[in-house]
Amino acid sequence: MRIAIIHNRYLQLGGEDSVVRSEYQLLKLNHTVELFETSSTSLSSSSLSSAITSIWNENERRRLKRFLQVFKPDVIHVHNTFPYLSPSIYWAAKEQGATIIQTLHNYRLLCVNGLLSRNGQPCEDCIGKLPISGIIHSCYRDSVLASATVTGMLGFHRSIGSFNLVDSFIALTEFAKQKFIDGGIPARKIITKPNFTTDIGIGSGSGNYAIFVGRLSGEKGLITLLKSWNILKGRIPLKIIGDGPLSTELKNKIPDGIEYLGSMSNSDARELMKEAVMLIYPSEVYETFGLVVIEAMACGTPSIVSSVSVASTIVDHKNSGLVFQSGDSISLAEQVNWALDHPQEWHNIRRQARIEYERKYTPSANLKMLECIYKAADTKHSV
């Protein structure tokens, strides 16, 4: 099968970019794959020019058309078009006559900031409607103009049917799939396929510490996490890995029982994950997937996750991890205490977390899922 992967990288490379690279390398094992990629650094410094480009980028549409005419793919797999590629590229893809797949890495088709979040809390005001509320609340980059641009992009492409050109959408969880159905994407067009992670082996969990890996910000639940560790009064040390708006505050005043390690490579973080007793995932917004949770599963390290986060659909409470009430530091402390007070049960949960990884989140399992999705979409496309 000949597969073209289309992706707009962000200014700061993140989890989505890593997933695209991983899928690209994975597909190359069995197929002929080419990557058509651009970066948000290509945007003009002019606000007006950038706004026009994000709505319809004729140059990128033509560039993609030329690429597709030469490569002649069977499947065109789009990951991200925002902000530089723009949804204009769907029209170039359709002209090629290939099957078009779109992975929904965020909620951008429903929400101007792509997070279904406002002020660090879940927000569904714009689901199923034009996101005017996103302009009113300056949801994208705290800017009315920037938010209006994204709203204009969504409104324009909904009106001309650009998103209807996609044969199949990939949602990363059943939770995210339902949000997109609520937002108007036909259920028959959405298939659920999780992300995956490589296997670096099972850890011992003998490190006698808990670990947090992620962005240091309020919506990621960091404040709730710190309050919870104050309640726990040093019962188990906590290692924090990451960077973000709250990093300076954390550096200047590290609470007792917490070690702040700053930014760290993914490989180094996973080595620490392998020996951790547990991973804490306290996010207070939906997100579309909790990649760090399945990375921990691969190490045999169970997670304690917040109830509102999409990770609560990945973790089965008291089977492959624990779930606490989102934003509730007491609830989080109670779950940590339960894990420490029930060592045999926690040992069984460690084993089950690894089993879940092997069943759902390995590269080989993901490759089979992708191939099935491509074949099914191609069959529908040909009818």
Side-chain angles (χ1 to χ4, degrees):
M1 192 178 292
R2 298 177 68 81
I3 303 162
I5 295 179
I6 317 299
H7 183 53
N8 188 140
R9 297 192 312 274
Y10 294 109
L11 289 174
Q12 291 184 320
L13 298 183
E16 183 176 323
D17 302 296
S18 297
V19 167
V20 173
R21 286 286 170 178
S22 295
E23 280 197 8
Y24 170 60
Q25 296 297 333
L26 181 66
L27 287 165
K28 284 174 66 177
L29 296 174
N30 287 0
H31 305 279
T32 302
V33 189
E34 291 288 345
L35 178 63
F36 180 92
E37 196 173 39
T38 191
S39 169
S40 297
T41 55
S42 302
L43 281 173
S44 167
S45 57
S46 163
S47 297
L48 178 59
S49 177
S50 294
I52 294 170
T53 297
S54 66
I55 294 173
W56 186 280
N57 191 333
E58 180 63 15
N59 289 337
E60 286 301 293
R61 187 194 71 80
R62 290 178 179 176
R63 188 169 77 90
L64 177 62
K65 182 177 179 179
R66 291 192 296 270
F67 164 79
L68 295 175
Q69 286 173 338
V70 173
F71 181 54
K72 295 182 173 28
D74 303 302
V75 172
I76 298 169
H77 189 159
V78 181
H79 284 272
N80 177 46
T81 67
F82 185 81
Y84 189 67
L85 283 178
S86 85
S88 65
I89 60 100
Y90 294 124
W91 295 91
K94 199 65 179 178
E95 287 179 38
Q96 181 62 30
T99 302
I100 303 174
I101 308 291
Q102 167 80 60
T103 295
L104 300 165
H105 290 282
N106 55 48
Y107 297 104
R108 186 81 63 193
L109 294 189
L110 313 176
C111 166
V112 298
N113 65 26
L115 301 172
L116 288 182
S117 169
R118 188 170 78 236
N119 298 326
Q121 296 297 317
C123 173
E124 299 187 11
D125 287 356
C126 297
I127 290 183
K129 63 187 79 165
L130 193 63
I132 301 299
S133 180
I135 302 175
I136 295 169
H137 296 286
S138 301
C139 288
Y140 182 62
R141 297 196 171 187
D142 294 320
S143 165
V144 170
L145 178 60
S147 300
T149 298
V150 180
T151 300
M153 178 272 290
L154 291 171
F156 175 71
H157 285 284
R158 287 177 188 177
S159 69
I160 67 171
S162 298
F163 304 120
N164 296 335
L165 301 178
V166 178
D167 294 294
S168 291
F169 293 91
I170 296 175
L172 302 179
T173 63
E174 287 297 319
F175 176 90
K177 176 181 177 178
Q178 188 57 54
K179 296 303 176 189
F180 286 110
I181 292 171
D182 294 343
I185 297 178
R188 59 182 172 78
K189 276 197 166 190
I190 309 180
I191 301 164
T192 302
K193 181 199 75 66
N195 288 328
F196 70 95
T197 189
T198 54
D199 185 1
I200 63 166
I202 305 172
S204 66
S206 60
N208 189 37
Y209 58 83
I211 192 169
F212 168 91
V213 182
R215 180 172 164 79
L216 307 184
S217 58
E219 74 273 9
K220 294 293 188 179
L222 190 67
I223 301 301
T224 299
L225 178 63
L226 297 180
K227 287 180 179 178
S228 182
W229 245 254
N230 281 332
I231 294 170
L232 289 165
K233 298 186 183 302
R235 185 170 185 200
I236 182 171
L238 171 68
K239 295 182 186 294
I240 293 181
I241 299 171
D243 201 357
L246 298 178
S247 60
T248 301
E249 180 180 336
L250 194 60
K251 288 175 188 173
N252 293 337
K253 188 178 180 181
I254 301 176
D256 291 340
I258 296 176
E259 182 183 8
Y260 175 48
L261 300 175
S263 296
M264 189 175 287
S265 70
N266 190 52
S267 59
D268 288 342
R270 287 182 69 175
E271 286 301 320
L272 286 174
M273 246 185 248
K274 289 171 74 170
E275 307 312 319
V277 175
M278 63 190 70
L279 176 101
I280 311 296
Y281 189 88
S283 180
E284 294 172 12
V285 292
Y286 292 152
E287 302 178 321
T288 51
F289 199 75
L291 187 60
V292 70
V293 173
I294 66 165
E295 289 176 338
M297 281 182 166
C299 301
T301 301
S303 298
I304 300 180
V305 307
S306 69
S307 58
V308 79
S309 73
V310 74
S312 65
T313 67
I314 298 173
V315 167
D316 185 8
H317 185 61
K318 290 191 176 180
N319 182 40
S320 59
L322 296 173
V323 180
F324 73 94
Q325 188 61 41
S326 178
D328 187 335
S329 55
I330 296 175
S331 176
L332 173 52
E334 287 173 345
Q335 295 305 318
V336 172
N337 277 325
W338 185 92
L340 298 176
D341 290 340
H342 297 81
Q344 185 55 53
E345 288 91 334
W346 194 245
H347 175 76
N348 294 335
I349 288 173
R350 287 189 66 88
R351 187 171 64 248
Q352 189 58 40
R354 172 66 189 192
I355 291 171
E356 279 289 282
Y357 165 72
E358 292 174 351
R359 191 165 68 91
K360 297 179 180 178
Y361 306 115
T362 62
S364 60
N366 218 266
L367 181 58
K368 290 177 183 176
M369 291 181 209
L370 271 172
E371 290 172 335
C372 287
I373 289 169
Y374 291 161
K375 289 175 183 176
D378 183 58
T379 300
K380 288 190 290 184
H381 173 80
S382 302
V383 173

